[in-house]
Amino acid sequence: MPRRTRRLAQLVLGLVAYACSMALMLRSSLGAMPWDVLHQGLALHTGLSIGTTTVIVAVVVLLAWIPLHERPGIGTVANVVVIAVSVDLWLALIPELDGWTLRIACAVTGIVLNAAATAAYVGVGLGPGPRDGLMTGLSQRFGVSVRWARTAIEVTVVLSGWLLGGTFGPITIAYALAVGPLVQLFLPWCSVRTGPAER
């Protein structure tokens, strides 16, 4: 398979898998990813789907890129479109879950899948997701570490989402602690080397 084709295929498959991981965690009812706490809260108040609120938030975040001088790539646009469409489809396919064992298994699977999916779309180097670009942009703009920029953003969105009625729970905390090391574990297998003409 040509390298360019592989990069595009891995990008799309990674984003579809990322949306599936979002749906798995949401269906567990044990919490959600930090940004999904906000998406869920907004959806509850507006009557819009999770996918639609994901798009709206992503567009607002991209507007925040302008003063930060961040530049989107094809992966940035794909991140917005593919995840928004896919997450609503996955939520329609994955039923409400009963029983603690099934819910915990679903949530843990969601966290691991999310890390693998993140490594897949980051590894192709076609542009950061809107929220990743906000994190790196704020880090550069204010001279703070990426870790602190991410922490500040995620605390803000979790608190805002929780106040709006989004689900904050043990999976939210487990995700925050586990996803970074897991992405680092998966990334070497997902990184695609690119030549100067492909960047």
Side-chain angles (χ1 to χ4, degrees), residues 64-134:
W65 279 30
I66 296 172
L68 298 173
H69 305 293
E70 290 291 299
R71 301 178 70 176
I74 186 174
T76 310
V77 178
N79 186 291
V80 176
V81 176
V82 175
I83 289 178
V85 172
S86 300
V87 70
D88 282 342
L89 290 175
W90 283 117
L91 285 169
L93 290 171
I94 301 171
E96 298 287 345
L97 303 174
D98 292 320
W100 282 100
T101 302
L102 185 58
R103 289 165 63 195
I104 292 170
C106 191
V108 171
T109 301
I111 292 173
V112 176
L113 179 60
N114 184 273
T118 299
Y121 83 75
V122 168
V124 297
L126 290 172
R131 295 151 188 83
D132 298 324
L134 177 64

